[in-house]
Amino acid sequence: MISARDLRVKENLLKIEDKPGYYKWWASREDLDFILERLSVSFDDIQSGLEVKDGLYAVYVGIAVKESVRKRLDWHVNDKHTESQVQNGTLSTLRQSIASLVAGNQYDKEATNGFIDRLRVEYFVSGNPVKSEAAKEELHRIERDLLSRNFYILNIQENTHPLAALTKRKLSQLRTASK
């Protein structure tokens, strides 16, 4: 795992292989509790579905097929986060969710970056080439499996975990209201 803040340093970002893969975002209990409060859900109601590692909680999982994991993480962490990206819907879904939760305003780049910098990232690379059918099949299978076995609270799309019903609607509403 690496601190998201460390991915703002180009040398650290370049250590990530330029290959497709998947990644998980991890939060401290304090940051998870903040997310839960904003989504009006109690820890006890979702604890059983959470993936836990080293005292951290996985809150988001994503894949990079059409580009490398390095580029995808760079987009999530170092995005310019402009007004036009918010208006055109080209801000990453992770940033949209975080901005909506921490600021109630997707235009608030500073608050979004502040929260992102407290998170940690774990990534895994695939041996298949970027944009290949093999990478697409492999990574979509992994993502579907992870989303069915664990509850990633910031994932909306494809989130089939039974506990997702507790938060997906509220998170979608917050994202809509914060545009």
Side-chain angles (χ1 to χ4, degrees):
M1 269 192 243
I2 185 169
S3 168
R5 179 184 325 212
D6 291 344
L7 294 177
R8 295 196 189 283
V9 178
K10 189 169 185 136
E11 293 78 32
N12 293 332
L13 198 56
L14 292 174
K15 291 177 185 174
I16 300 173
E17 290 183 72
D18 202 21
K19 293 186 174 189
Y22 69 101
Y23 49 91
K24 298 176 184 178
W25 287 80
W26 297 84
S28 67
R29 175 63 192 267
E30 180 182 344
D31 289 329
L32 175 64
D33 284 343
F34 172 81
I35 293 168
L36 293 173
E37 180 182 319
R38 295 286 293 141
L39 294 174
S40 305
V41 176
S42 81
F43 180 77
D44 291 340
D45 289 342
I46 58 132
Q47 180 180 8
S48 66
L50 296 175
E51 182 178 0
V52 183
K53 185 179 197 176
D54 300 330
L56 299 172
Y57 299 86
V59 295
Y60 185 84
V61 64
I63 60 174
V65 174
K66 297 177 184 175
E67 61 190 350
S68 70
V69 172
R70 177 195 310 156
K71 287 181 183 172
R72 182 63 90 161
L73 292 176
D74 185 32
W75 181 48
H76 285 311
V77 175
N78 297 307
D79 191 79
K80 290 183 175 115
H81 197 126
T82 64
E83 184 176 327
S84 110
Q85 286 177 296
V86 173
Q87 291 170 349
N88 295 322
T90 57
L91 197 62
S92 83
T93 58
L94 177 65
R95 289 183 79 84
Q96 288 178 39
S97 293
I98 290 173
S100 300
L101 290 166
V102 300
N105 175 352
Q106 287 187 26
Y107 298 91
D108 194 334
K109 177 182 177 178
E110 187 176 319
T112 305
N113 284 344
F115 193 84
I116 285 173
D117 285 350
R118 293 197 308 265
L119 302 176
R120 297 190 60 80
V121 181
E122 182 178 31
Y123 62 89
F124 308 86
V125 295
S126 168
N128 295 304
V130 170
K131 297 182 183 177
S132 69
E133 192 60 34
K136 180 180 176 183
E137 288 175 16
E138 171 195 29
L139 296 169
H140 279 285
R141 178 184 47 76
I142 289 169
E143 182 182 42
R144 278 191 309 273
D145 181 56
L146 288 169
L147 286 167
S148 68
R149 282 190 294 129
N150 303 298
F151 176 44
Y152 300 97
I153 196 163
L154 296 181
N155 282 86
I156 296 175
Q157 197 173 24
E158 309 279 333
N159 194 344
T160 58
H161 194 278
L163 293 172
L166 295 172
T167 59
K168 282 174 37 170
R169 184 175 178 178
K170 175 75 172 184
L171 184 55
S172 294
Q173 289 171 340
L174 288 172
R175 283 175 45 169
T176 299
S178 68
K179 275 192 166 181

